[in-house]
Amino acid sequence: MRMKMFVYSLREYDERQFFDTICGELGIEYDSVPEVPTPDNISLAKGYDVINIITCPIDEERIVKLKEAGVRLIMSRTVGTDHINKEAAARYGIPVMGISYSPCAVADYAIMLMLMGCRKLKYVQLRTIGRDYGLYGRLGRELRDCTVGLYGGGDIGKTVARQLSGFGCRILICDRHPDPEIAGIAEYVDPDRLLSESDILSLHLSGTQENYHIIGADEFACMKDGVMLINTARGLLIDTKAMIDAIESGKIGFAGLDVIENEKGMYYFDHEDRILTNKDFSILNGYPNVIVLPHMAFYTEPAVRDMVVNSTVAAKGFFDDKEQAND
Ligand code: COI
């Protein structure tokens, strides 16, 4: 079938070339805007079968407008689809799909944050700006001496385990579906053991309601003093207020946060001349042992190409299957 796709948040500098190539190959007509979908610009998708988006909120108001515009599929070129009100989409009969892309992108980033934590890199860099090249207070840890706990053993969690196995550290992993290959390099444990035995805890869970604040005050209380916490998954997994208390009490020795709660609308835009109103972000950013990054663990060339190609191919497959079923 000749599918028409409308792409929101298209980045000229990295995504355009991949969209041009794959849409050309598959004979797909597409148009795009650099903006996120808003109630005012959803009418642009009128006459298109599918919209292709990233992590911009798609609430009920937008879904009603998509229905009015005749859109028949919401395709997110992301792994997580927690930004879409799926319950409302189901009520209006619009299927929602996400995709997978190179898990190494996020896995590498998580490991980078672990290493930055082990070597107190933010503190070292801050001191270096003032030309303080002393060693006092910068003594690092070696990853091989750490127990690394991976909360979530999907594609990304398993890739972190595989990549980490070369560092010689003890690896724990918590997931309801153990994988025999991973069981050879990591020990599957329950959440209690994961929290209490990890020197470094890295989150690789999806942003479902079930996982909302899965790390809160009670969980911090079970953790080792000085634990390193890495979040490259979703901000809503951590109760931010409890995390701030845990940093201030010394329970958390380092936090590497590629994602934080209420980040929507802040990341991927230039706020240089604006006042940021996310107070938790400002507080977290101010600590010398906390690194806050703008949700870019995914951002590698292979992953960006996968996001564009896999989402386009999957959308085409969806409509081809539908057409075949109707034959
Ligand atoms: C995802 O794929 O779920 C992500 O978090 C990446 C997105 C921000 C582009």
Side-chain angles (χ1 to χ4, degrees), residues 113-177:
L113 286 170
M114 291 175 199
L115 290 167
M116 289 173 96
C118 283
R119 306 307 286 267
K120 304 191 175 151
L121 219 76
K122 178 165 175 188
Y123 179 68
V124 170
Q125 277 198 307
L126 284 173
R127 306 302 305 179
T128 308
I129 292 166
R131 292 197 222 153
D132 172 358
Y133 308 125
L135 292 173
Y136 182 78
R138 281 86 151 168
L139 198 62
R141 296 181 71 167
E142 295 185 13
L143 208 44
R144 66 174 171 151
D145 295 328
C146 298
T147 295
V148 182
L150 308 175
Y151 209 158
D155 250 13
I156 295 174
K158 286 197 277 193
T159 305
V160 177
R162 274 188 215 103
Q163 314 282 58
L164 270 183
S165 63
F167 283 90
C169 48
R170 177 171 171 243
I171 309 168
L172 305 177
I173 187 162
C174 178
D175 195 273
R176 280 194 215 114
H177 307 286

Side-chain angles (χ1 to χ4, degrees), residues 14-324:
D14 59 348
E15 293 185 311
R16 170 71 76 194
Q17 50 172 332
F18 297 127
F19 272 114
D20 281 350
T21 306
I22 189 67
C23 289
E25 279 169 20
L26 299 180
I28 292 168
E29 192 184 320
Y30 90 98
D31 205 348
S32 65
V33 281
E35 289 84 27
V36 301
T38 64
D40 293 335
N41 71 14
I42 281 184
S43 56
L44 294 172
K46 196 171 166 55
Y48 289 81
D49 302 295
V50 50
I51 58 159
N52 191 324
I53 58 168
I54 54 167
T55 44
C56 38
I58 301 289
D59 56 7
E60 180 151 2
E61 186 186 5
R62 288 168 177 79
I63 286 166
V64 171
K65 295 206 181 283
L66 286 168
K67 187 77 191 168
E68 285 165 8
V71 169
R72 296 187 290 147
L73 175 66
I74 301 171
M75 169 60 68
S76 188
R77 51 186 188 283
T78 57
V79 173
T81 52
D82 47 294
H83 46 292
I84 304 169
N85 182 339
K86 291 197 263 308
E87 190 262 314
R91 257 188 291 119
Y92 288 92
I94 310 182
V96 171
M97 288 173 78
I99 46 107
S100 61
Y101 49 82
S102 164
C104 290
V106 179
D108 286 359
Y109 214 76
I111 295 169
M112 174 190 81
L113 286 170
M114 291 175 199
L115 290 167
M116 289 173 96
C118 283
R119 306 307 286 267
K120 304 191 175 151
L121 219 76
K122 178 165 175 188
Y123 179 68
V124 170
Q125 277 198 307
L126 284 173
R127 306 302 305 179
T128 308
I129 292 166
R131 292 197 222 153
D132 172 358
Y133 308 125
L135 292 173
Y136 182 78
R138 281 86 151 168
L139 198 62
R141 296 181 71 167
E142 295 185 13
L143 208 44
R144 66 174 171 151
D145 295 328
C146 298
T147 295
V148 182
L150 308 175
Y151 209 158
D155 250 13
I156 295 174
K158 286 197 277 193
T159 305
V160 177
R162 274 188 215 103
Q163 314 282 58
L164 270 183
S165 63
F167 283 90
C169 48
R170 177 171 171 243
I171 309 168
L172 305 177
I173 187 162
C174 178
D175 195 273
R176 280 194 215 114
H177 307 286
D179 175 330
E181 182 219 326
I182 298 302
I185 49 173
E187 186 183 352
Y188 278 92
V189 294
D190 60 27
D192 289 349
R193 274 193 63 198
L194 188 85
L195 298 179
S196 61
E197 293 182 27
S198 299
D199 298 301
I200 302 176
L201 180 69
S202 188
L203 306 183
H204 302 287
L205 296 162
S206 47
T208 56
Q209 272 313 304
E210 188 195 348
N211 291 337
Y212 178 74
H213 285 186
I214 199 162
I215 303 295
D218 292 346
E219 288 70 29
F220 285 123
C222 300
M223 293 182 199
K224 288 189 177 180
D225 290 339
V227 67
M228 294 186 224
L229 178 65
I230 309 295
N231 192 3
T232 52
R234 284 294 181 269
L236 64 76
L237 299 175
I238 303 176
D239 176 342
T240 308
K241 300 276 178 259
M243 174 166 61
I244 289 172
D245 288 345
I247 293 164
E248 293 189 352
S249 73
K251 173 58 82 173
I252 295 179
F254 169 76
L257 309 170
D258 187 45
V259 288
I260 55 162
E261 278 191 289
N262 307 316
E263 66 178 46
K264 295 262 169 342
M266 187 164 70
Y267 292 159
Y268 315 136
F269 302 103
D270 182 354
H271 295 281
E272 201 181 18
D273 58 354
R274 289 181 218 153
I275 304 289
L276 287 177
T277 54
N278 187 326
K279 295 189 179 58
D280 291 336
F281 167 81
S282 304
I283 291 171
L284 288 165
N285 238 333
Y287 297 123
N289 57 345
V290 177
I291 294 179
V292 187
L293 293 162
H295 199 155
M296 56 179 296
F298 75 98
Y299 199 54
T300 64
E301 181 166 336
V304 169
R305 186 184 53 234
D306 286 352
M307 289 164 116
V308 171
V309 172
N310 297 355
S311 61
T312 307
V313 169
K316 171 129 175 54
F318 172 87
F319 288 110
D320 286 348
D321 288 350
K322 236 179 155 46
E323 198 174 53
Q324 267 183 1

